[in-house]
Amino acid sequence: MLLTSLMLPALSRVAVCGGTHGNELSGVYLVHERLKRRKKSQVMEPVAVVTVMSNPRAVQRCVRYTETDLNRCFTHAILSASEQTSYELVRSQELNSLLGPKGSAEAMDLICDLHNTTANMGLCLITYSDSDWICLHICKYLQARAQHPRTDAMEIGPQPHGLIRANIFMAMQEAVQLLLDWVRLFNSGAQFEGGSVDVYTLVKNIDYPRDPHTHTIIAAVHPDLQDRDFCLLHPGDPMFLSFSGETLRYKGKEPLYPFFINESAYYEKAVALSLARRRKVEIPAIRACLHTVRTKT
């Protein structure tokens, strides 16, 4: 049985951010285009949006980050520190002032952070709660309208870092526009019916096989697994192919869904792929309560 209908505050503060990783170029160029069109007064937004280039120094150098991964800098400890020296740590505090402060009543109601992946993940929305009805309704809306959606960050691939592919850029542009269309409809008082959404919940990350003495990688993702993001992986299925030619198989006790398979940026994080469970989440019908001020908890 579906949950009862809910009235939620309108979304008056929305941000679209690109270039959090400076070599993920779909978001970089989408932000460039949005800022250029806004300057020329050619863009008709369905809702007022703050558009931000998150890490301009990394974008200028076309690198993931200059000193520290900006995407890992938004902890309360970092944001509240009195003195920072790393560029990305300082930048995270600047973004927190611009878009937050995090957790406050003045913070953005919705932030769409644009990313690319080298993995064959299609269009994915990554959120951190299975009871965030706004994000789950946006997922449902995109699933019905965007091309090849998988489900706060938008992740789309495959695209090598440091270059841009037209089809990936256009898919991201379409998804952002659909997201903003949904916000406009929601803010106008339209009701969105409940239903179910398929979600993938992270279970664990898997590292590459490594030499026990040198810790160097001794195997690559198996060809039968490569590019099969979100395809069910069964116990005993090939997972890695060692450089000596040995097939190493998945030893888990349950079938799981792999994603971020062989993401190039995750070599430094010792992650060859992530594994998730898929389930359906029932979401209630929602509608904006137009006279309610949205607060943070």
Side-chain angles (χ1 to χ4, degrees):
M1 184 175 68
L2 298 182
L3 300 176
T4 57
S5 179
L6 294 178
M7 299 292 287
L8 298 175
L11 304 174
S12 60
R13 300 174 295 274
V14 177
V16 173
C17 303
T20 299
H21 294 137
N23 59 357
E24 297 178 8
L25 296 190
S26 293
V28 169
Y29 286 107
L30 191 147
V31 165
H32 276 313
E33 285 298 304
R34 290 179 58 83
L35 293 174
K36 181 173 67 176
R37 293 178 185 177
R38 178 168 294 171
K39 181 178 286 190
K40 294 181 179 179
S41 300
Q42 294 178 349
V43 64
M44 295 295 292
E45 294 285 12
V47 63
V49 180
V50 175
T51 302
V52 180
M53 190 69 76
S54 299
N55 194 337
R57 186 177 293 182
V59 168
Q60 185 179 31
R61 299 178 185 179
C62 197
V63 295
R64 183 174 175 85
Y65 54 83
T66 63
E67 298 174 78
T68 305
D69 191 336
L70 179 61
N71 214 27
R72 308 297 189 269
C73 292
F74 293 96
T75 66
H76 287 290
I78 291 175
L79 296 177
S80 61
S82 58
E83 293 185 8
Q84 298 288 5
T85 55
S86 164
Y87 171 75
E88 275 84 9
L89 297 180
V90 172
R91 183 59 177 158
S92 70
Q93 294 182 336
E94 294 173 351
L95 290 170
N96 190 51
S97 296
L98 176 64
L99 304 177
K102 183 177 180 178
S104 73
E106 293 76 33
M108 291 286 164
D109 297 315
L110 180 67
I111 297 176
C112 181
D113 189 25
L114 305 173
H115 290 266
N116 289 121
T117 173
T118 62
N120 187 30
M121 288 173 54
L123 170 62
C124 301
L125 298 184
I126 300 175
T127 185
Y128 296 95
S129 170
D130 60 4
S131 60
D132 185 329
W133 306 133
I134 294 292
C135 288
L136 290 175
H137 265 282
I138 291 172
C139 287
K140 183 172 181 283
Y141 188 81
L142 265 64
Q143 283 178 340
R145 292 165 178 80
Q147 295 184 8
H148 311 300
R150 295 291 188 187
T151 46
D152 310 338
M154 183 178 294
E155 191 87 42
I156 184 166
Q159 177 172 282
H161 299 317
L163 62 78
I164 189 163
R165 293 178 54 180
N167 62 320
I168 300 296
F169 175 84
M170 296 303 293
M172 179 178 283
Q173 187 175 58
E174 177 196 30
V176 170
Q177 189 61 47
L178 287 171
L179 180 148
L180 296 178
D181 289 343
W182 185 93
V183 173
R184 175 184 56 81
L185 289 170
F186 178 72
N187 286 349
S188 72
Q191 176 162 308
F192 291 87
E193 297 302 322
S196 63
V197 177
D198 285 333
V199 301
Y200 295 84
T201 303
L202 175 67
V203 175
K204 59 182 175 180
N205 295 320
I206 302 294
D207 191 9
Y208 295 90
R210 295 178 183 271
D211 184 284
H213 303 292
T214 65
H215 301 292
T216 57
I217 291 172
I218 59 172
V221 170
H222 196 281
D224 291 350
L225 178 59
Q226 182 65 52
D227 298 327
R228 291 181 57 80
D229 298 75
F230 298 107
C231 295
L232 196 59
L233 181 69
H234 295 87
D237 284 350
M239 178 174 278
F240 297 103
L241 183 64
S242 76
F243 299 142
S244 62
E246 179 187 1
T247 293
L248 308 176
R249 299 181 180 275
Y250 171 48
K251 296 181 179 179
K253 296 182 179 180
E254 64 174 311
L256 293 172
Y257 291 86
F259 64 105
F260 278 126
I261 297 174
N262 205 19
E263 159 59 46
S264 67
Y266 287 177
Y267 276 70
E268 69 177 46
K269 302 181 188 302
V271 175
L273 64 140
S274 300
L275 294 174
R277 293 188 185 98
R278 186 178 73 178
R279 62 189 180 92
K280 289 188 180 295
V281 174
E282 298 295 332
I283 60 176
I286 62 171
R287 187 173 183 176
C289 183
L290 302 180
H291 302 294
T292 300
V293 177
R294 194 173 179 86
T295 60
K296 304 296 175 183
T297 58

